C-alpha cells in the first residue's frame, strides 16, 4: 500500500557532484515507492548555471522513476540553511555523502552533516556501493535505544520495510552497568545503554505500537551485548537502509546526534536515515 494522502514532497539536494546525483537516483526511487512528489533543490551564491544543473538532475531522476512527479527549484544563499528551510515541510531530505566543494578526504560532506544535525524532518544521507542502494539485500535496519528516543525512528523504519516489502531488523545494543549494581548516567545519544529493562523487552516495547499498524511486516529482533556503533555497522553491512533516531536538545533548537550517530553518518555502508524524535 502506497502513501497517497501525504502531499508534502520528498526533497533532494543537488550540487552537481556525483554523490548528489546518486542521491537523486535514490530519492527518485523513494518518491515512486511512496507516491510522493520529488523536489530537486539547488542552493547557490551566485546562481549561474543552476538551471542547467537542475535540468541534468531532473533528466536523471526521470530515467530512474518515469512516473515520479518532478519539480526543481533554485534557491539563493547558503545550501545548508536553504535545505533546512525546505525540510520544515518535507517528507524527508535526501543528500549525498560528499558535496562538490568538500575536501576529497572528508568522509561526510559539511552540508550533509549540518543538515542531519539540525533538520526538522528525517534526513537520508545516501552512502555505500550500488548494491546497498539498489534494494539487493531486502532489509532495513533500525537502532533501538532503551528509552523513548526511538519511537519515530521505528515508525519510519517499519514504513520503509513495508513499502519495500522487505524485512525489518531491529537492533538493541546493551552493556552491563559498571560496578555491578551501580548505574552511571546514561550516555548521550541512543547507543549501548546500561542495563535497565531486559533487552528483549526494550525491543518488544519499541515495536509494539508501530508493528500493529504494519501487521504484514517481517520483523527480526537482534539483541547485542556490546557497543551500539559496532552492532549497527555490522547489521547494516547487509542492509539497504539504516535508520537511527535523534533526540531534541533540551532548551535548544536542533538535534542531539551524539557520538554514535556521528560515527554512523561517516561510516555506514548503506544509506542512513536520521529521524528526529517527535
Amino acid at each position: 500500500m502506497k502513501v497517497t494522502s501525504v502531499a508534502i514532497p520528498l526533497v533532494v539536494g543537488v550540487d552537481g557532484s556525483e554523490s548528489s546525483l546518486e542521491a537523486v537516483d535514490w530519492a527518485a526511487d523513494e518518491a515512486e515507492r511512496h507516491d510522493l512528489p520529488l523536489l530537486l533543490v539547488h542552493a547557490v551564491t551566485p546562481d549561474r548555471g543552476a538551471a542547467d544543473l537542475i535540468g541534468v538532475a531532473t533528466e536523471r531522476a526521470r530515467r530512474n522513476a518515469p512516473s515520479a512527479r518532478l519539480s526543481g527549484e533554485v534557491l539563493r544563499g547558503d545550501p545548508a540553511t536553504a535545505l533546512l528551510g525546505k525540510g520544515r515541510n518535507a517528507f524527508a531530505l535526501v543528500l549525498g555523502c560528499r558535496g562538490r566543494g568538500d575536501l576529497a578526504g572528508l568522509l561526510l560532506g559539511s552540508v550533509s552533516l549540518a543538515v542531519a544535525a539540525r533538520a526538522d524532518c528525517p534526513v537520508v544521507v545516501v552512502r555505500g556501493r550500488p548494491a546497498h542502494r539498489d534494494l539487493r539485500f531486502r532489509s532495513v535496519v533500525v537502532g533501538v535505544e532503551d528509552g523513548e528516543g526511538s519511537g519515530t525512528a521505528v515508525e519510519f523504519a517499519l514504513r520503509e520495510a513495508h513499502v519495500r516489502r522487505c524485512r525489518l531488523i531491529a537492533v538493541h545494543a546493551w552493556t552491563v552497568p559498571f560496578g555491578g549494581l551501580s548505574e552511571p548516567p546514561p550516555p548521550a545519544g541512543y547507543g549501548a545503554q546500561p542495563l535497565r529493562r531486559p533487552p528483549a523487552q526494550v525491543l518488544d516495547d519499541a515495536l509494539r505500537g508501530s508493528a500493529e499498524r504494519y501487521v504484514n511486516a517481517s520483523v527480526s529482533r537482534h539483541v547485542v551485548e556490546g557497543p551500539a556503533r559496532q552492532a549497527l555497522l555490522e547489521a547494516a553491512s547487509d542492509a539497504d537502509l539504516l535508520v537511527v533516531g535523534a533526540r531534541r536538545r533540551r532548551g535548544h533548537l536542533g538535534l542531539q546526534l551524539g557520538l554514535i550517530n556521528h560515527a554512523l553518518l561517516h561510516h555506514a555502508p548503506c544509506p542512513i536515515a536520521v529521524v528526529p524524535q517527535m
Side-chain angles (χ1 to χ4, degrees):
M1 181 179 68
K2 292 185 178 181
V3 178
T4 57
S5 60
V6 180
I8 59 176
L10 181 67
V11 178
V12 55
V14 180
D15 65 4
S17 66
E18 182 59 28
S19 179
S20 79
L21 293 176
E22 290 171 356
V24 169
D25 294 341
W26 191 94
D29 290 337
E30 181 78 349
E32 273 200 329
R33 278 191 287 269
H34 289 276
D35 192 19
L36 293 169
L38 178 62
L39 174 61
L40 297 93
V41 173
H42 177 56
V44 290
T45 305
D47 61 354
R48 288 176 296 179
D52 292 339
L53 190 152
I54 288 289
V56 169
T58 298
E59 286 304 312
R60 182 155 173 163
R62 200 178 305 282
R63 287 197 302 270
N64 280 6
S67 65
R69 292 168 284 162
L70 300 174
S71 61
E73 188 172 351
V74 176
L75 304 175
R76 297 293 299 271
D78 171 64
T81 302
L83 287 166
L84 288 168
K86 285 296 176 183
R88 296 190 184 99
N89 186 38
F91 178 82
L93 289 169
V94 182
L95 306 168
C97 61
R98 283 189 296 272
R100 179 184 289 274
D102 288 302
L103 298 176
L106 292 179
L107 295 174
L108 181 67
S110 56
V111 171
S112 297
L113 184 59
V115 172
R118 295 163 52 198
D120 293 323
C121 67
V123 174
V124 180
V125 176
V126 178
R127 301 184 53 84
R129 296 173 298 175
H132 289 92
R133 304 193 303 267
D134 296 339
L135 305 186
R136 298 184 191 179
F137 294 98
R138 310 300 302 171
S139 67
V140 173
V141 173
V142 61
V144 177
E145 66 172 309
D146 188 358
E148 299 181 355
S150 302
T152 311
V154 168
E155 175 78 17
F156 183 94
L158 267 167
R159 181 172 55 195
E160 287 297 320
H162 177 73
V163 299
R164 294 160 183 256
R165 299 180 181 179
C166 69
R167 63 175 177 152
L168 175 69
I169 301 173
V171 178
H172 173 58
W174 63 279
T175 57
V176 176
F178 295 105
L181 298 178
S182 62
E183 183 176 294
Y190 84 101
Q193 300 285 341
L195 184 60
R196 298 175 181 175
R197 293 176 289 165
Q201 183 183 343
V202 172
L203 284 175
D204 288 342
D205 291 347
L207 291 164
R208 184 174 295 114
S210 296
E212 291 173 355
R213 291 188 287 275
Y214 300 98
V215 293
N216 294 324
S218 173
V219 180
S220 299
R221 294 163 169 80
H222 289 198
V223 173
V224 180
E225 182 179 358
R229 168 185 167 172
Q230 179 180 345
L232 291 171
L233 288 176
E234 289 180 358
S237 65
D238 293 322
D240 304 304
L241 179 66
L242 171 63
V243 181
V244 296
R247 297 180 179 183
R248 298 289 178 185
R249 294 177 180 176
R250 295 181 180 179
H252 299 279
L253 297 175
L255 303 175
Q256 179 61 57
L257 289 179
L259 295 177
I260 293 170
N261 280 355
H262 270 279
L264 295 173
L265 282 165
H266 283 85
H267 297 287
C270 65
I272 175 173
V274 178
V275 183
Q277 177 183 357
M278 297 300 180

